[in-house]
C-alpha cells in the first residue's frame, strides 16, 4: 500500500486508545484492500511473468555469449542446447507480453492509483527497462562494429606483410 494511501487512513494515525469504531474502520479498510488485491491479481500475474522473462532473457544472453557452448559434447550439452532453444522461444513472448501489460496498466491507472512494485511505479520501471535494453543493444552493436574493424585491420596488416615478403 503506497504511503499516500496509508496517510489517508486516519484511524491508523489516531492517538486515542483503540475502540470499537477504530476496529470497525480497520476491518473495513482491510476488506477494501483485499478487494483491491483481488482486482489487481491479473495484473500482478502479468507483472510476475514479465519479470521471469526478463531474468530468463538475461540468463540466455549470458549463455549465448559463450561460443564454446556449440562445441561441447556429452549428455549435458544436448540438454543445454535444448534449454537454450526453449528459452529463446519463451523470451520471444516478452515484447507481446510487455505491450499487453502496458495497455492494462494504463487502463488501470486511468481509474485507480498507480501500480507500484518495490515502491516504484511499474510503468516507470517498464520505461527504464526499455531504455536499458536499447542501450545494451547499442553497446553490443558498437562492440561488434569495433571487433569487425579490428579484424579488418589485422587482415590488412597481415596482407601487407605477406605482399612485402617480410
Amino acid at each position: 500500500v503506497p504511503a499516500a494511501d496509508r496517510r489517508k487512513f486516519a484511524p491508523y494515525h489516531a492517538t486515542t486508545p483503540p475502540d470499537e469504531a477504530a476496529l470497525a474502520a480497520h476491518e473495513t479498510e482491510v476488506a477494501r484492500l483485499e478487494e483491491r488485491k483481488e482486482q489487481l491479481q491479473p495484473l500482478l500475474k502479468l507483472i510476475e511473468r514479465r519479470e521471469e522473462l526478463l531474468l530468463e532473457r538475461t540468463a540466455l544472453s549470458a549463455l549465448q555469449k559463450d561460443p564454446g557452448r556449440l562445441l561441447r559434447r556429452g549428455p549435458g550439452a544436448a540438454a543445454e542446447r535444448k534449454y537454450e532453444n526453449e528459452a529463446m522461444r519463451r523470451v520471444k513472448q516478452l515484447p507481446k507480453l510487455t505491450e499487453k501489460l502496458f495497455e492494462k496498466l494504463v487502463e488501470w491507472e486511468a481509474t485507480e492509483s498507480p501500480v507500484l512494485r518495490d515502491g516504484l511505479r511499474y510503468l516507470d520501471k517498464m520505461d527504464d527497462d526499455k531504455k536499458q535494453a536499447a542501450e545494451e543493444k547499442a553497446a553490443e552493436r558498437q562492440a561488434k562494429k569495433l571487433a569487425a574493424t579490428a579484424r579488418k585491420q589485422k587482415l590488412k596488416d597481415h596482407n601487407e606483410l605477406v605482399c612485402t615478403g617480410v
Side-chain angles (χ1 to χ4, degrees), residues 111-164:
T111 59
E112 302 285 337
S113 62
V115 176
L116 303 179
R117 183 180 171 108
D118 300 328
L120 301 172
R121 183 173 171 245
Y122 199 75
L123 279 174
D124 293 340
K125 183 192 180 312
M126 288 175 68
D127 189 42
D128 291 345
D129 288 346
K130 186 177 182 180
K131 288 177 185 174
Q132 183 181 1
E135 289 171 2
E136 288 172 1
K137 222 174 205 179
E140 258 182 51
R141 272 192 242 116
Q142 184 65 24
K144 281 183 180 181
K145 196 182 266 188
L146 287 174
T149 304
R151 280 192 306 272
K152 286 179 185 177
Q153 186 61 41
K154 188 175 178 180
L155 183 60
K156 181 179 175 184
D157 293 345
H158 176 73
N159 287 340
E160 287 177 2
L161 285 173
V162 170
C163 289
T164 59

Side-chain angles (χ1 to χ4, degrees), residues 5-23:
D5 286 351
R6 277 186 250 136
R7 284 192 293 272
K8 289 178 187 174
F9 183 60
Y12 179 76
H13 302 288
T15 56
T16 60
D19 60 357
E20 290 298 317
L23 178 62

